[in-house]
Amino acid sequence: MKGYQYLDENGTFSLEDPELTGYLYFPLANEKGVMASVTPSLGGDNKMGQNTFLLAPVSSEELHDKKGTRNFWVNIKGKGLWSAAGASAWQEAELFSKEKDKTLLTAGMMWHSVKRTSKEYGIEAEITSFVPLADTLEVMLVTLRAPFEDITITPTAAIPLYGRSADNIRDHRHVTSLLHRMETVKEGILLNPTLTFDERGHRKNEIVYGVAGSAEAAPLPEGETAELPTGFYPVIEDFIGEGGSLINPSALLEGKEPVKAGFHKDGYETLGGIAYETCTLKKGEEKTYIAVIGYGKSKEDFLSQAKPYLSKAYSEKALAEVKKSWLEKLNIKYHTASRDFDAWMQWVDFQPILRRIYGCSFLPHHDYGKGGRGWRDLWQDCLALLIMNPDGVREMLWSNYAGVRADGSNATIIGTEQGEFIADRNNITRVWMDHGVWPFLTTRLYIMQTGDTGLLFQENTYFKDPQAGRGEEKDLLWKAEDGNSLRTEEQAEYKGTVLEHVLIQLLTAFYDVGEHNHMRLRGADWNDALDMAKERGESVAFSALYGQNLVQLGEMLRHLKEEGMEKVSLLEELFILLRNEEELYEDGKAKAELLHSYCDKVRHTVSGRKKEISLSELAENLIKKGNWIKEHIRKTEWISDSEGYSWYNSYYDNNGRRVEGDNPKGVRMMLTGQVFTIMSGIAGKEQVKDITAAADKYLYAQELGGYKLNTDFHELKTDLGRMFGFAYGSKENGAVFAHMAVMYGNALYQRNFIKEGYKVINSLYSHLSDFEKSRIYPGIPEYIGDNGRGLYHYLTGSASWLLLTVLTEMFGVKGEYGALLLEPKLLKEQFDEEGKAEVSFEFGGRSFAVTYINREGKEFGEYRIGAAALDNEPLRNEAEKFVLSREAIQKLDSNSVHRIRVDLN
């Protein structure tokens, strides 16, 4: 099997015979709400939300089925019927034979093209699919060619229109077809259901679905219009015939005449069947056919959107705009010794954009949820946005804090508007104990990148609903009409600073401990599948990260003190959480009682009164708490097995038992606890060496791309989580889970274990970029299965963390309160043949291109930063790192790319 080849530095790639690989799909979308997926045979789906599917919903197992394909048939005189999508019964039968069509896929950001050549039928078809930037449409440009001889052809597009909610796939599929009202107009077919039947109830339908078509043999003179369809096949049942199917349609095989414009039909499944005029192509000639599918608020709205695209010139211009626009959003470019790695990273950088559009649903593997993102996603996706598209991130961060409750938990149902959070009417109470760590982690990165400490003192509301006591109690006084904002005793809307929100999240977590004095696991942590230890489970792993957060927030407050700030005002009730006695910290029961006392005071309302505290006192309090957590983990959770390997235990189960270490069923080790004890500095240098040795022994699988999430427990461990019900090597049970693997690499880089960190990242890249092994298009998936296949592609937080790791750790491009810091950690093998490595990016509202020059070919640890220049002007810098001050950055021209050269000696 031949893998894909990159065609340019932007990540455009080609792949021969893509249909010989299963489970492939590619995203096509815009920022107007259209979300589609397309396969090599033009399967996949298209939707604008859970209740608005234009094409029928597709899960991963439906990817094998070509019957729902965006098909394009060609009846070739004297030869028969042929599918330009390869979706005919006879072409499928020849898939593994020498008679198979020759195919070539080419794709770039948000566009997808498949060229198919058949010597038997004497034809070549090239189908390019894209979603325009400004309209709720998807466009297919189908170019038919006669490469070998003259051919006479009669083309027909055949795209099944689903036109309803995903719920109706098995819930009233037939009944909801009775709601269909279809009609043909001169441009195409319109589907206007009378009602919608879904979880919202029975409602009047407000969306019109449609397909329109045209044809052009050559660019048209001004004023002339494209050829419109000669007829239509609007009813699936009539098109396939008795005993037929969408890959073997009797209407085309038996020459059934299409209907004309003005046809109406009610109560049947709808086909976007468009018949085009018969024509003859001389050898070497071509003709382009256009099929436009999409949505409108009315028939007129759909047609007004679709009609311009019936011009080949207009569609080609729109395609060029799509290519240009999405590439412009990728403002980071890499240059290393591996051009393929540089191109692959363009797809990784693109993935956070995709997740902002699709949320965590709406691609074939992501066949769950109803769109939108979770709390964790809001913050982790901001990590990438901070680096690639920082405009608007401040507002985004600030608005996200409106989801924090006064008890330190947070809203879990996130609305479609920025900063919109919704009460859970189903009373499903679940608290993820890690949710409090991500807001500060992301906010800190923002402040370091920009120097904008003012964000900490901007005020926002708190979320309010019936949930109280960190998910364990109810506020029986709250009513829906009270709204979702926390109020004071006088019923005024209460607002606190972002700093206050962060403090409440971190401090409530500090006291929310179990019997081993680590933070309670609650409903789960980052690993959603650790969801069966609510009563006695504890997460040592995320206790470590909370400890680091507390220390870093304290250090940030000390920085503010140095800048001249003396005091801050905080909610009076919060001072309960600022007790500062070592005896209290050591007493888990006393901590839980104190937390309950605080939660009681903020259950329904708050006083609204604020008290001042000096920054130095607050900073010392937080650092002491953070360091206490770190030392407690060091003293209690370092374990060794019978073979002499040592690492940190990550969890306690619902029976209060330590999860990791020797076990009669085999050694148990989990990666998560190693990541955050390394990242937080809990693990000393020698311990990091021990951890990497243990991880290499028990978790590393080169043939699967790197480090597994855990060893095989050989047990259905119902006192910890559902993950142990999954087959070992899949999902959260022992797969190479890219997100945590990348964070492991990031942690190692942060601690200057560069070769070890590079091994993590390079193992993932080497496996995923080997198409024969990973069987996915470029990019990073959620995990790698036990057969080596990448699964749950595109919509994963691992992309944000990988982008962050490559830019800020490998290339060492970091912020330090708005100053630009360069501290490269590149290995010798990453420099090109001239000893150069380059990266371009935006920072502080300016564009930079940094070139590191390693002329002597030194390894990391051997080289030091030497001479440096900005726009050819020499710069002075510190011995170990390069720093460009915030003031110096602001003086630079905002319309130019500023080139920094750094010699490594």
Side-chain angles (χ1 to χ4, degrees):
M1 179 189 297
K2 189 176 179 182
Y4 51 75
Q5 308 293 315
Y6 291 109
L7 305 180
D8 57 35
E9 65 177 7
N10 298 319
T12 308
F13 67 94
S14 65
L15 175 65
E16 293 180 5
D17 298 319
E19 72 273 42
L20 292 181
T21 298
Y23 297 100
L24 288 177
Y25 54 86
F26 188 84
L28 299 174
N30 65 14
E31 293 178 305
K32 297 295 183 182
V34 177
M35 299 171 285
S37 60
V38 63
T39 72
S41 300
L42 304 188
D45 61 25
N46 186 307
K47 82 292 293 180
M48 290 189 71
Q50 173 72 5
N51 298 310
T52 316
F53 274 76
L54 170 64
L55 307 182
V58 168
S59 294
S60 56
E61 289 306 317
E62 272 96 59
L63 293 172
H64 321 308
D65 185 0
K66 296 188 174 71
K67 292 180 181 177
T69 287
R70 304 159 173 87
N71 214 339
F72 197 91
W73 294 95
V74 188
N75 201 331
I76 302 160
K77 187 176 180 180
K79 298 192 175 182
L81 199 59
W82 179 79
S83 167
S88 72
W90 41 99
Q91 283 165 278
E92 192 161 285
E94 292 179 345
L95 196 59
F96 304 109
S97 72
K98 292 179 181 177
E99 287 72 38
K100 173 196 169 302
D101 296 341
K102 182 180 178 183
T103 53
L104 177 69
L105 176 144
T106 308
M109 309 300 168
M110 296 293 202
W111 63 272
H112 177 277
S113 186
V114 179
K115 184 187 290 185
R116 177 177 295 273
T117 308
S118 171
K119 286 191 176 179
E120 180 185 353
Y121 287 85
I123 191 169
E124 180 178 275
E126 187 168 354
I127 303 180
T128 299
S129 303
F130 67 97
V131 171
L133 297 174
D135 294 297
T136 53
L137 304 171
E138 180 188 318
V139 179
M140 284 172 56
L141 291 170
V142 184
T143 300
L144 301 181
R145 302 186 181 100
F148 309 114
E149 59 188 357
D150 297 356
I151 53 175
T152 298
I153 58 173
T154 307
T156 305
I159 306 168
L161 302 184
Y162 176 72
R164 48 204 190 267
S165 170
D167 297 347
N168 302 133
I169 275 291
R170 71 156 304 279
D171 188 0
H172 295 102
R173 173 75 191 251
H174 174 255
V175 168
T176 50
S177 73
L178 304 180
L179 306 172
H180 281 196
R181 301 293 184 266
M182 65 186 84
E183 68 172 292
T184 58
V185 295
K186 62 181 181 177
E187 296 86 3
I189 297 166
L190 301 172
L191 168 61
N192 186 12
T194 55
L195 300 169
T196 60
F197 286 10
D198 50 56
E199 64 173 10
R200 301 168 300 175
H202 300 167
R203 297 183 175 193
K204 189 176 187 302
N205 173 58
E206 296 177 348
I207 298 291
V208 173
Y209 307 90
V211 57
S214 67
E216 284 186 35
L220 293 172
E222 192 171 340
E224 287 195 26
T225 57
E227 296 174 21
L228 292 178
T230 59
F232 308 96
Y233 297 98
V235 182
I236 286 181
E237 188 173 311
D238 296 342
F239 182 71
I240 65 175
E242 298 296 333
S245 73
L246 286 166
I247 59 172
N248 191 23
S250 71
L252 298 184
L253 289 165
E254 296 175 2
K256 182 178 178 180
E257 283 294 313
V259 303
K260 301 300 182 183
F263 175 87
H264 292 76
K265 190 79 169 180
D266 298 345
Y268 285 82
E269 293 283 0
T270 306
L271 181 72
I274 295 185
Y276 298 90
E277 190 173 351
T278 299
C279 75
T280 297
L281 294 179
K282 299 290 186 183
K283 181 180 177 181
E285 287 184 344
E286 65 178 45
K287 188 170 183 177
T288 296
Y289 298 83
I290 299 170
V292 181
I293 60 175
Y295 314 77
K297 295 174 184 174
S298 63
K299 298 172 187 178
E300 294 75 19
D301 181 40
F302 168 73
L303 289 171
S304 68
Q305 290 187 72
K307 281 179 183 179
Y309 294 93
L310 300 181
S311 157
K312 180 182 176 183
Y314 190 93
S315 282
E316 288 179 340
K317 181 183 175 186
L319 174 60
E321 289 171 353
V322 164
K323 293 180 178 182
K324 180 174 181 284
S325 177
W326 290 111
L327 286 176
E328 284 175 350
K329 293 181 186 295
L330 298 178
N331 52 21
I332 304 174
K333 281 279 194 296
Y334 311 89
H335 172 84
T336 65
S338 171
R339 296 296 175 88
D340 282 359
F341 175 78
D342 304 338
W344 182 76
M345 279 301 300
Q346 293 300 292
W347 286 99
V348 172
D349 292 357
F350 191 57
Q351 287 180 232
I353 296 172
L354 291 174
R355 197 159 81 165
R356 200 171 79 246
I357 293 170
Y358 287 84
C360 298
S361 309
F362 298 140
L363 283 178
H365 274 115
H366 300 81
D367 54 355
Y368 51 83
K370 295 172 182 175
R373 293 175 289 168
W375 178 259
R376 196 180 300 122
D377 309 324
L378 289 181
W379 302 96
Q380 296 208 62
D381 291 351
C382 279
L383 294 174
L385 285 176
L386 271 170
I387 291 169
M388 289 200 303
N389 185 22
D391 293 344
V393 170
R394 186 190 204 275
E395 182 75 13
M396 195 180 300
L397 290 172
W398 170 79
S399 64
N400 287 348
Y401 277 103
V404 176
R405 293 189 185 92
D407 65 6
S409 65
N410 56 269
T412 54
I413 301 179
I414 293 154
T416 54
E417 300 300 318
Q418 187 168 297
E420 180 188 6
F421 300 95
I422 301 167
D424 185 355
R425 307 295 184 203
N426 298 318
N427 286 323
I428 299 172
T429 299
R430 188 174 177 192
V431 172
W432 284 262
M433 66 80 61
D434 68 305
H435 277 188
V437 303
W438 306 112
F440 176 68
L441 188 148
T442 308
T443 302
R444 181 178 181 272
L445 177 65
Y446 167 79
I447 290 171
M448 287 298 182
Q449 291 282 108
T450 63
D452 178 16
T453 54
L455 173 62
L456 289 173
F457 304 100
Q458 188 172 345
E459 291 192 335
N460 204 342
T461 56
Y462 287 84
F463 185 70
K464 184 73 185 100
D465 64 358
Q467 187 166 307
R470 293 176 67 78
E472 295 188 324
E473 299 175 11
K474 296 291 180 187
D475 174 10
L476 300 177
L477 298 177
W478 180 87
K479 302 180 295 296
E481 51 266 33
D482 294 340
N484 294 125
S485 291
L486 178 68
R487 297 190 174 276
T488 67
E489 294 160 357
E490 288 75 32
Q491 292 304 301
E493 187 177 69
Y494 176 73
K495 292 184 178 182
T497 61
V498 165
L499 172 62
E500 185 182 280
H501 285 70
V502 171
L503 287 168
I504 287 174
Q505 288 185 297
L506 300 184
L507 291 170
T508 51
F510 176 78
Y511 292 98
D512 195 359
V513 295
E515 58 205 77
H516 301 92
N517 216 345
H518 303 296
M519 293 174 191
R520 295 171 60 200
L521 183 54
R522 295 291 195 138
D525 63 8
W526 166 89
N527 186 338
D528 283 342
L530 294 174
D531 58 350
M532 300 173 78
K534 184 178 179 181
E535 290 78 23
R536 298 178 67 189
E538 296 170 65
S539 176
V540 179
F542 276 90
S543 295
L545 191 52
Y546 273 106
Q548 179 74 341
N549 270 5
L550 285 162
V551 170
Q552 289 181 334
L553 179 56
E555 290 170 347
M556 186 170 283
L557 296 178
R558 283 180 173 172
H559 170 80
L560 290 172
K561 174 77 166 59
E562 290 169 6
E563 295 288 304
M565 183 177 283
E566 292 294 333
K567 297 178 179 180
V568 291
S569 293
L570 303 170
L571 178 67
E572 185 177 81
E573 289 89 330
L574 189 148
F575 282 77
I576 298 170
L577 303 174
L578 291 175
R579 292 265 304 274
N580 196 15
E581 307 99 51
E582 189 84 22
E583 299 78 16
L584 173 63
Y585 298 172
E586 296 287 347
D587 188 338
K589 287 185 179 178
K591 285 162 80 173
E593 288 170 5
L594 184 147
L595 177 62
H596 190 269
S597 170
Y598 167 78
C599 288
D600 241 12
K601 285 188 178 293
V602 300
R603 177 189 301 272
H604 183 60
T605 57
V606 292
S607 68
R609 295 185 295 274
K610 299 193 179 187
K611 287 173 58 177
E612 285 189 335
I613 185 172
S614 73
L615 280 181
S616 55
E617 181 185 348
L618 182 56
E620 189 218 347
N621 187 301
L622 298 176
I623 291 170
K624 184 176 178 180
K625 284 180 168 65
N627 283 333
W628 182 89
I629 291 173
K630 292 184 178 187
E631 193 56 35
H632 180 61
I633 293 172
R634 285 190 192 105
K635 288 191 297 187
T636 60
E637 299 306 324
W638 183 248
I639 59 174
S640 299
D641 71 356
S642 56
E643 290 196 35
Y645 289 95
S646 300
W647 65 93
Y648 276 101
N649 173 54
S650 305
Y651 295 99
Y652 284 86
D653 64 25
N654 214 31
N655 287 302
R657 297 175 301 190
R658 178 178 283 154
V659 168
E660 297 178 54
D662 283 322
N663 187 281
K665 295 182 178 180
V667 172
R668 295 179 172 181
M669 181 180 182
M670 304 182 85
L671 185 61
T672 312
Q674 317 325 311
V675 170
F676 296 119
T677 51
I678 293 172
M679 191 180 286
S680 65
I682 289 171
K685 188 173 181 180
E686 292 305 311
Q687 286 183 326
V688 176
K689 292 178 182 177
D690 288 342
I691 289 170
T692 57
D696 284 348
K697 167 72 174 174
Y698 294 122
L699 301 177
Y700 186 68
Q702 183 176 356
E703 71 280 7
L704 297 176
Y707 292 86
K708 296 181 177 183
L709 204 51
N710 54 276
T711 55
D712 191 348
F713 280 33
H714 299 285
E715 179 186 353
L716 181 60
K717 197 165 171 52
T718 56
D719 61 357
L720 190 53
R722 70 177 187 268
M723 63 175 270
F724 298 101
F726 300 147
Y728 183 70
S730 64
K731 268 285 192 178
E732 290 92 345
N733 188 16
V736 174
F737 212 89
H739 197 163
M740 192 53 67
V742 171
M743 285 197 279
Y744 179 49
N746 181 280
L748 290 166
Y749 269 100
Q750 285 192 43
R751 297 294 302 281
N752 279 334
F753 282 76
I754 307 309
K755 290 182 178 178
E756 293 83 354
Y758 180 74
K759 177 182 176 180
V760 178
I761 305 304
N762 193 51
S763 294
L764 274 171
Y765 162 70
S766 297
H767 181 91
L768 293 170
S769 61
D770 186 337
F771 184 77
E772 190 172 350
K773 293 177 181 176
S774 70
R775 298 176 187 270
I776 58 171
Y777 297 139
I780 187 167
E782 181 183 271
Y783 74 94
I784 299 166
D786 64 347
N787 62 357
R789 188 188 298 274
L791 294 157
Y792 293 75
H793 199 5
Y794 298 114
L795 309 181
T796 164
S798 56
S800 291
W801 272 89
L802 183 53
L803 187 168
L804 194 69
T805 302
V806 171
L807 183 66
T808 67
E809 294 298 334
M810 275 188 187
F811 281 92
V813 177
K814 299 179 182 179
E816 195 170 70
Y817 292 108
L820 174 61
L821 170 66
L822 300 181
E823 198 175 7
K825 299 177 182 179
L826 293 157
L827 294 180
K828 176 181 173 181
E829 68 184 75
Q830 294 178 271
F831 293 90
D832 69 13
E833 64 278 2
E834 296 179 359
K836 292 181 180 178
E838 299 174 349
V839 62
S840 58
F841 55 92
E842 290 190 3
F843 188 95
R846 305 295 184 269
S847 297
F848 291 95
V850 172
T851 302
Y852 295 117
I853 302 174
N854 184 9
R855 288 193 182 86
E856 298 173 26
K858 291 186 175 181
E859 189 52 275
F860 174 82
E862 297 173 354
Y863 62 71
R864 297 286 183 272
I865 285 182
L870 170 63
D871 295 333
N872 295 319
E873 292 292 326
L875 289 171
R876 294 179 61 186
N877 56 79
E878 299 176 29
E880 297 296 322
K881 58 188 179 183
F882 169 100
V883 179
L884 188 62
S885 72
R886 188 181 182 188
E887 294 72 26
I889 292 169
Q890 292 304 309
K891 291 176 183 176
L892 297 174
D893 180 7
S894 60
N895 297 312
S896 302
V897 176
H898 301 281
R899 303 190 179 278
I900 299 175
R901 190 202 73 241
V902 179
D903 291 334
L904 304 176
N905 302 325

